[in-house]
Structure formats: structure tokens, C-alpha cells
Amino acid sequence: MATNRLQADIDNWTLTTPAARSTRGAVASQHRLAAQAGAAQIDAGGNAIDAIVATAYALNAVEPWMCGLGGSGFMVIWLAREQRAVALDFQGTLPGRIQLDDYPLDPGRPLTPMGFPGVVDNANIEGYRSITVPGAVAGLDHALSRFGSRPRRAVMAPAIQLAERGLFVDWFTSLQIGVCARTLARDPVSASIYLPGGHPALPESRIRIPGLAETLTEIADQGADTFYRGALAKRMIDDLQAGGSRLSQEDLAAYAVFEYEPMAAEHRGYTLYTPGEVSGGRRQRDMLAHTRASMPTPPAAPTPESWLAYAEALEQCWREHKIRNGVLSSTEGDLDGENGACTSSMSSVDADGNMVALTYTLLNRFGSGVTLPATGMLMNDSVSYFDPRPGYPTTMAGNKRINSSNMCPTVAVKNGEARFSVGASGGNLIMPAVTQVAALMTDFDMDLEAAIHHPRLDASFRDSVRVDPRFAPETVRRLGERFALEISQQTVFPKLYACVSAVSRDPVTGECVGLNDPTQPIGGGAAPAPFTLDSLGDDGPVVRP
């Protein structure tokens, strides 16, 4: 098979990341401050659910381009005392009055990241018409009220502090803004926040997002009710409809979180829990089943044949998924786009063995690019989860819920103890990355730190398989005998192998470990400690719209 080495040896460094360790618990997130906000809840006597909710809210202020109040997602929770797993689906829903006529096809535009045809003016991925009902606030509030232990105001306090301080702009933040500058420039509010003077905000400055701290405070005081049925809902709908959205107050008021028993996949003595059919969970289950069939007894350590088995299993489960979703017939080639830089994933564990994996998203980086003027909320572009053509399983229809996602938060349990939880951001890259980390830990008894740092491949039934050049030459050669390869090193940008966050807990020693992907310079794990704002950036100029 042909091998393309054009993406090898781009960056001249070795990427590693430290792990947080504690017998009291741990949190991992794509931003260290958010992980610290979560770990502070455990330090104050809270549990893993309190920690994950605090982390998720804090990300609004420190990683707004990936997730937030305007997003949606999934959560998997292991309740140690009850010996059961719970899944929460807080995915978005389309406006009740949505019309396909609002999204005429434009053959001149590329496919969307979900593999659907482009439409005129990018209306399904940019601007007000691309926004669905966001489920994040409902999902986080549901988790906290049902399974948390601390008051909402205390759990959200770090997020509010961070929003009041403002977003410190480092080089990584400037990069995120610069990549999406064209989309942000379409929205006057977003442009005033992120593109001061018409250019991406410069490192060493701080961005104040008008209204965000006040919105978080209102939610902390009144819960999800104000967001979906109260004063906050009214302000949101006024802004949305003024911008051309078909969302209504009835759409918000009708929103509901789905709580259900998660999908369970048995593998090498572990039970892996995922949100199931509407997430990447089915593909994960299928991939592991294919692996067991081709590798009934794993060797002591991964071999070239092990990686060939993983690649073939990923290719097969992705092919079946694309056929099910109507973006690939049984004879067509790959139609799916690639979106390797979206979403945020986080994990938490406490000393009692409760464990959570949460993934939520605005979909694309900065979502729709729209910041609602009255609330400071950056909104999703999740209409692009749906097909603008009639007659497909994912065709747009009023009040339809997102029913196909790459997100794959996973909690792995063995002998009644949650051993690890893992999730990732990165669109199509998510499920392959999450499943490889899980497979390395279950097939070869790797610890979490080794599995996160191990070279990965990416296979999703496209024209080639992407391979990290850190693999042994014999592994690369064996894969090249079967597939066309892209030899592509791990880089900070673009992230070619997803961005993984995970925690683990040793049932014997009680040691909890948390870490984020080595390609994420702002990410990390955190051990329980009081939350205090760092001083980084406090002396920089504040950018006020």
C-alpha cells in the first residue's frame, strides 16, 4: 500500500503530560483551571458528580470555543454505593418550526463535518439558523440535583469567579480564535469580544465576555428552570428570534433530559458503559467485539498484529455506522468529513469510587459563532448534525433530537469497582481514540498514564489509516501491508488523534489518577485542593467590547 509521509516531523518536540494523583479523588479536563474547579468540590466534601458539574461550568469561562451553556452532550455516571451505572442524554433538539426550505443545498460548498451536503450561506453550520435547543444546563442541573451532594451555588462559584475575572489569552487561545476568525466576524457580538480591532485577541490580554458571569449567577440561583421557562429563557428567545432563529419559548420549555441505563459492553472481564446507540458507544462495542474475534487471547504487550487487529476492527465498525446513517451506501466510498477540533471531555473520580465521564460540545469550534447579546452565551451549530435532504434517518424535522453523535464518554467497571473513565474531543476522531485507550488498559493491563501516552492510529473507513510515527517500524510496515497510511505525528494543532481526558482508580490502594491528552497545552488533571484563581494574566490589559 502507498504511504504518505507529508505530515511527519512537523513539530520538533516530544509531548508528555503529568498526571494528578491522590487517594481522595481526581479530575481531568481540557483546561487545568476547570479541573481544579472540579477537584475543589471533592476537597470541600463533595463527590465526583459535584466535581464534574463544577468542571463543566468552569469551561464556559476558560475554554468557551469548545463547549458551554449553549451546548449539549452526554454523561455516564457510576454510583459506587448503588453498584449501578446511569447515562444522561442532554443532546439538543431542532426548532419545532424548522423548515428544510431554510437550508437549500449548495453543490459548490464542501460537505459538513458530519458528512452532509453544504447549504447556501453555510446556514446549517454558521449563524442563528444553525442553533438547536441547548441541553447542557438541563443535563448538568439534572446530574447535580439527582446525584450530587453540594449546593448548586457552591458548585458553580468557581465558574462565576472565572467569568468575572475574564478569559486570559495565551498563544493557544489566540490560535483558537484565529482559526475561526471568519465565522466570528459574521456576528457583531462575537466579533467585538474575540476580534478587538478586527483581529484575534492578542496573548497577554484578558477578554471579558459581557453578561456571562451574570448568566451563570442566575443559573446558580434559580437552576435550569430560568434557562428553559423563566426570565433567562425569555431573553434568550428574544435574541435568537431577532437574529433569525426559529427557536421558540415553547421549544425551550418542552426540553427534557433523558436518564437511562447505559449500553454495557463486556470485554476481558470489564464492563464498559457508554450512552449507547445515539453516541459512539455502539461503534466502541462493535470494535471491541471485532478485536476479540481476531485476538481471542492478547499477547503480553501490543504487537504489530495487535495494531492490525485494532485498525481492521475500527474500519469495520465505522463502515457499518456510515451505512446506518445514510452517509455511505454498501458500495460507495467515504462521504464523511473530518472534524478534529471540537467538543470538550472531562472525567472525575472520588475516594468512594464514584466515577463520571462527561462530553459536551458546541459542535464545531465556537459553534455557530453567535454570542447572544443579552446573556453572553456562545451558541451551538448543532443543526449541522442533521441532513438537509429529505428521506434520510437524520433528516431535519421539527423538535427532532440529535440521534447520532461521535461523543463516547466511557466508564469501565471490573468486579464491582469503577476502574477508569475516559472520553475525548475531536469529532470523528473521538471513538477511535477513546476505544484504543480502553483497549490498551483492558487487553494489556496498561495503567492510565501509559495508555494515554501510547502512540495511536486513527481509522474511520476513509481512504487511509493515520499512524503515529512513534510506532515501532515493524508495526508501521505491517499496517502498510494492509492499508494506505498517513504517517502523521501528534501535534498541538491540528489534533490528529483526538484529545483524551481520563481518570482511574486502583481498588487496592485507592490511588486516583487524572490526566489530559499530552497534545493539549492548557489541559491537565487536578487533585483535591481549595480553588483559588491563579495570577497568570491578571496584569494584562482587559479587552472590553
Side-chain angles (χ1 to χ4, degrees):
M1 291 286 188
T3 300
N4 175 8
R5 294 183 176 271
L6 293 180
Q7 297 185 66
D9 300 324
I10 295 172
D11 291 345
N12 186 26
W13 53 39
T14 300
L15 300 173
T16 60
T17 190
R21 300 177 185 276
S22 170
T23 56
R24 299 174 59 204
V27 180
S29 167
Q30 290 178 197
H31 199 290
R32 291 186 301 278
L33 282 178
Q36 291 166 17
Q41 306 306 310
I42 298 174
D43 183 68
N47 62 22
I49 296 88
D50 301 318
I52 211 75
V53 172
T55 302
Y57 275 123
L59 287 168
N60 282 269
V62 293
E63 196 194 35
W65 51 87
M66 290 294 188
C67 63
L69 303 177
S72 302
F74 295 106
M75 191 185 310
V76 178
I77 304 169
W78 173 254
L79 301 168
R81 181 175 298 177
E82 300 177 32
Q83 290 282 286
R84 70 183 180 100
V86 175
L88 300 181
D89 174 331
F90 49 97
Q91 288 284 63
T93 57
L94 288 171
R97 296 194 291 266
I98 197 166
Q99 296 179 13
L100 281 177
D101 290 348
D102 289 340
Y103 307 92
L105 302 186
D106 183 347
R109 292 191 180 274
L111 299 176
T112 70
M114 301 305 292
F116 302 135
V119 305
V120 172
D121 198 33
N122 280 341
N124 57 343
I125 59 175
E126 295 179 357
Y128 281 84
R129 289 280 171 91
S130 69
I131 300 169
T132 64
V133 174
V137 173
L140 297 176
D141 209 44
H142 182 98
L144 188 63
S145 62
R146 288 271 288 129
F147 308 112
S149 65
R150 304 201 72 218
R152 185 191 308 112
R153 194 65 167 79
V155 169
M156 294 185 64
I160 295 167
Q161 288 179 266
L162 288 165
E164 288 173 341
R165 187 193 71 162
L167 171 64
F168 174 70
V169 181
D170 54 17
W171 68 268
F172 189 72
T173 302
S174 288
L175 170 65
Q176 305 307 308
I177 296 170
V179 169
C180 293
R182 184 193 61 79
T183 299
L184 293 169
R186 293 184 55 166
D187 180 67
V189 180
S190 293
S192 68
I193 295 169
Y194 299 104
L195 303 172
H199 304 285
L202 295 175
E204 304 300 324
S205 63
R206 279 187 296 125
I207 294 174
R208 296 296 296 273
I209 302 175
L212 179 60
E214 292 78 7
T215 298
L216 288 166
T217 300
E218 185 172 345
I219 295 168
D221 291 339
Q222 301 179 42
D225 192 62
T226 187
F227 190 96
Y228 294 95
R229 289 166 291 278
L232 181 55
K234 174 67 165 58
R235 297 199 300 277
M236 289 166 56
I237 292 300
D238 286 348
D239 282 347
L240 286 162
Q241 293 184 348
S245 171
R246 294 190 182 273
L247 284 168
S248 67
Q249 286 190 262
E250 292 76 18
D251 293 329
L252 288 181
Y255 186 79
V257 176
F258 293 166
E259 178 185 323
Y260 57 99
E261 185 176 340
M263 175 182 285
E266 304 297 329
H267 187 71
R268 317 288 192 196
Y270 288 79
T271 303
L272 280 72
Y273 293 102
T274 65
E277 299 283 345
V278 293
S279 72
R282 178 172 177 176
R283 276 165 282 165
Q284 182 187 93
R285 183 192 63 186
D286 293 349
M287 184 273 189
L288 294 173
H290 285 301
T291 299
R292 288 194 304 277
S294 59
M295 189 170 54
T297 302
T303 66
E305 293 302 318
S306 305
W307 286 103
L308 181 61
Y310 286 170
E312 289 178 335
L314 286 167
E315 287 285 278
Q316 180 63 23
C317 72
W318 266 100
R319 180 179 183 277
E320 293 164 356
H321 168 74
K322 292 180 178 182
I323 292 172
R324 285 193 301 269
N325 272 14
V327 295
L328 182 73
S329 75
S330 59
T331 57
E332 288 176 324
D334 182 19
L335 295 179
D336 208 0
E338 182 172 310
N339 184 9
C342 64
T343 307
S344 198
S345 192
M346 59 220 77
S347 290
S348 65
V349 59
D350 61 36
D352 293 328
N354 300 301
M355 193 174 284
V356 189
L358 164 64
T359 308
Y360 83 128
T361 185
L362 297 174
L363 191 52
N364 289 323
R365 186 188 284 105
F366 284 101
S368 60
V370 169
T371 300
L372 299 185
T375 61
M377 289 169 44
L378 190 62
M379 300 302 290
N380 68 78
D381 65 325
S382 295
V383 167
S384 59
Y385 270 116
F386 299 89
D387 200 320
R389 302 168 297 178
Y392 287 88
T394 51
T395 294
M396 297 175 189
N399 300 127
K400 193 170 186 176
R401 196 179 189 96
I402 297 168
N403 62 10
S404 180
S405 171
N406 290 306
M407 290 184 283
C408 194
T410 301
V411 175
V413 176
K414 186 176 184 180
N415 297 329
E417 299 265 10
R419 300 298 182 89
F420 64 88
S421 69
V422 58
S425 64
N428 289 351
L429 311 175
I430 292 174
M431 191 283 297
V434 169
T435 305
Q436 283 172 80
V437 170
L440 289 171
M441 296 182 73
T442 55
D443 288 345
F444 303 105
D445 199 30
M446 261 188 211
D447 65 34
L448 181 62
E449 197 166 9
I452 294 288
H453 283 90
H454 199 284
R456 296 178 212 144
L457 56 78
D458 184 72
S460 54
F461 199 67
R462 51 185 193 270
D463 293 333
S464 61
V465 169
R466 184 178 297 131
V467 177
D468 188 326
R470 293 181 299 146
F471 275 113
E474 54 268 28
T475 298
V476 176
R477 179 190 58 76
R478 185 70 181 97
L479 289 167
E481 292 172 355
R482 173 68 175 82
F483 301 105
L485 301 183
E486 305 167 50
I487 308 299
S488 305
Q489 72 178 111
Q490 287 201 14
T491 57
V492 171
F493 180 84
K495 295 191 190 305
L496 300 175
Y497 301 95
C499 181
V500 175
S501 291
V503 297
S504 66
R505 181 175 182 272
D506 187 318
V508 177
T509 66
E511 183 181 56
C512 302
V513 177
L515 72 162
N516 181 243
D517 202 270
T519 64
Q520 182 77 349
I522 61 174
F531 181 77
T532 56
L533 291 179
D534 65 14
S535 61
L536 188 63
D538 281 355
D539 295 327
V542 178
V543 179
R544 300 180 186 274

